[in-house]
Amino acid sequence: MESVNTDIIILGAGLTGLTLAYNLKKHNINIVLLEGRERLGGRIFTKQNPNSPPMEMGATWISPQHTLLLDLLQELGVKTFEQKMGNTAIYEAFSTTPFQLVNLPMSNVPSFRVQQGTHQIIKKLSLNINHHNIFTSQDIKSIEKKGNAIMVTSDTHNFIGTKVISTIPPLLFINTIHVNPSLPKSLIEIAQKTHTWMGDSIKIALAYREKFWEQEHLSGTIFSNVGPISEMYDHTDVEDSNYALKGFFNGAYFGITKEERLRLVLIQLEKYYGNRVYDYINYEEVVWKNEPYTTTQASGYILPHQNNGNAVYQKGYLDNTLYFAGAETSPIHGGYMEGAIHSANFILAALKSNGVLG
């Protein structure tokens, strides 16, 4: 078992963890960033294929009100472009009635996507962090406070520091990591009932050679109460050269095969667009419920955004050596990329008030 000594140990190399590491490096703080997956990004996950736009399987849209995120993108030199919604949408209200083409209301608050894919944020952040400080494929087993130090143990390493910041979804943390001394019962109970953003989602996308959905009496925006696709949007790239549709598939279908989900996707799209939907270039999906470093089994149903930003996540534990961060812990824009950035900034301020940053 290899040992690594540092100042601050960050669990999770998603947006919160990478943003925190990026800012701590500005203060010349020694950090290690631990990630369970082989890739960085967490729930920012862009799939790249030839002749296809970047396929966003996780976090996608940015609103003008996401000011912290927009400031970070400007600092990193990451550019955005407006999400195309169109003036109409395909709407399917009931299984017993045909779909309709309805007019969309004018919106004064557009949504934006990241040029070349949301993973550009992850790429730019990680390039500013020494790769020797990032450890992937780390399955965290335990956290133990030992005197003035705190140790994180994975299946391959012991990481020893003075502070641990977990950006892992709280439910996943509580269910998979042993902590000594034990955490307060109040924290454990809230964590067990905290909704994991994206945890119930199935994201799907199909790339095509042409934008047939732009023809008259059609639309690339879909809303269906019938499903199994509930929402779908035009996912063309910023250059308008590679075309796709991307949306949400009913999360109840997590247990069937990818091939069966694709079959159901094509059957639904055929109703709107005809046989041309079968001439796709590629199909991508991510079933987030089946991602072990995002989701774990809850004891019961948890409402979307339930306990996101709860007061228990705004405190330090184990004599202020263990902190919780991440999109679920933010009381502002909890569950979104903006919340992830806010959480990283909150932890940075807490460390400063405790004298860690000088």
Side-chain angles (χ1 to χ4, degrees), residues 317-342:
Y317 294 89
L318 306 186
D319 296 327
N320 289 327
T321 60
L322 173 63
Y323 294 86
F324 291 89
E328 285 80 13
T329 72
S330 175
I332 299 174
H333 296 285
Y336 297 97
M337 287 190 282
E338 179 76 359
I341 302 298
H342 179 271

Side-chain angles (χ1 to χ4, degrees), residues 84-90 99 101 208-221 234 245 272-277:
K84 187 173 183 178
M85 293 294 293
N87 299 319
T88 60
I90 291 170
F99 71 87
L101 194 68
Y208 289 97
R209 293 175 179 83
E210 59 176 339
K211 287 191 288 184
F212 50 77
W213 51 87
E214 286 197 339
Q215 294 179 12
E216 192 175 2
H217 305 304
L218 292 177
S219 174
T221 301
D234 184 301
L245 293 168
Y272 315 138
Y273 305 122
N275 289 336
R276 54 193 154 188
V277 300

Side-chain angles (χ1 to χ4, degrees), residues 181-203:
S182 298
L183 293 169
K185 184 178 179 181
S186 58
L187 170 65
I188 294 172
E189 289 178 347
I190 290 295
Q192 289 174 335
K193 296 177 182 178
T194 296
H195 179 257
T196 298
W197 172 70
M198 201 74 73
D200 303 317
S201 296
I202 300 176
K203 287 286 191 77

